[in-house]
Amino acid sequence: MFLKLYDRVIALSAHRRAPAFLATLSFAESSFFPVPPDVMLIPMCLARPAKGWFYAALCTLSSVLGGMAGYLIGKLAFAWIEPWLMGSSFADTFTSAVAAFETWGFWYILLAGFTPIPYKIFTVSAGVVGMPFLAFIAGSVVGRGGRFFLVAALIRLGGERLASRMRKYIDLIGWLTIALAVIVFAVIKVNSQ
């Protein structure tokens, strides 16, 4: 199942508009869309390792801009999205994120950049609680940049050997990722109760 998807994404990562798709996905994931940009960043770095730093920088910039949009959604339009959010599966995570922002601020947004939890939850939460905007931007740049440049660095170090191993084990990696996501969400849900 994952192998077919992996091969398709690798093929798409060489498309001339792939950087624009990556930027759009990074922006959207930070403000309203649930799919993380890693699903494009990783295959793009595997397909063109020499451009990995560029892709990581593009991903970071777009993610921070999307995060700013998410922050503004939280700050200016939360009353409109609150009924939907509180009725969604993200309600408990959002409530926990708001409480954590009030306690940890900058450090929380920095660490949030590395989590598998959709970044939009953190960006909207930051706007709702009124986190200082410059601290929000700084934390986003360091957290998201750290994550995306780490991905690019690991792929650059692994090179072609990593690409061939990844393809060989992609189904196992896919199922383990799903299992990890389920565990993370279960732990968050238990801790928020």
Side-chain angles (χ1 to χ4, degrees), residues 114-181:
F114 283 94
T115 70
I117 300 168
Y119 196 54
K120 69 178 176 290
I121 292 171
F122 301 102
T123 64
V124 172
S125 301
V128 169
V129 300
M131 179 181 179
F133 195 61
L134 291 179
F136 169 78
I137 292 171
S140 292
V141 168
V142 174
R144 298 304 268 183
R147 173 180 168 169
F148 300 138
F149 278 94
L150 178 63
V151 167
L154 290 173
I155 291 171
R156 180 100 180 181
L157 289 172
E160 186 57 42
R161 193 175 79 231
L162 175 65
S164 65
R165 283 195 178 158
M166 190 128 166
R167 188 174 190 287
K168 182 178 178 182
Y169 296 108
I170 195 65
D171 283 321
L172 176 63
I173 292 168
W175 289 114
L176 287 175
T177 302
I178 289 173
L180 179 63

Side-chain angles (χ1 to χ4, degrees), residues 93-105 108 125 129:
T93 305
F94 174 77
T95 303
S96 298
V98 168
F101 269 114
E102 291 171 347
T103 305
W104 301 102
Y108 190 65
S125 301
V129 300

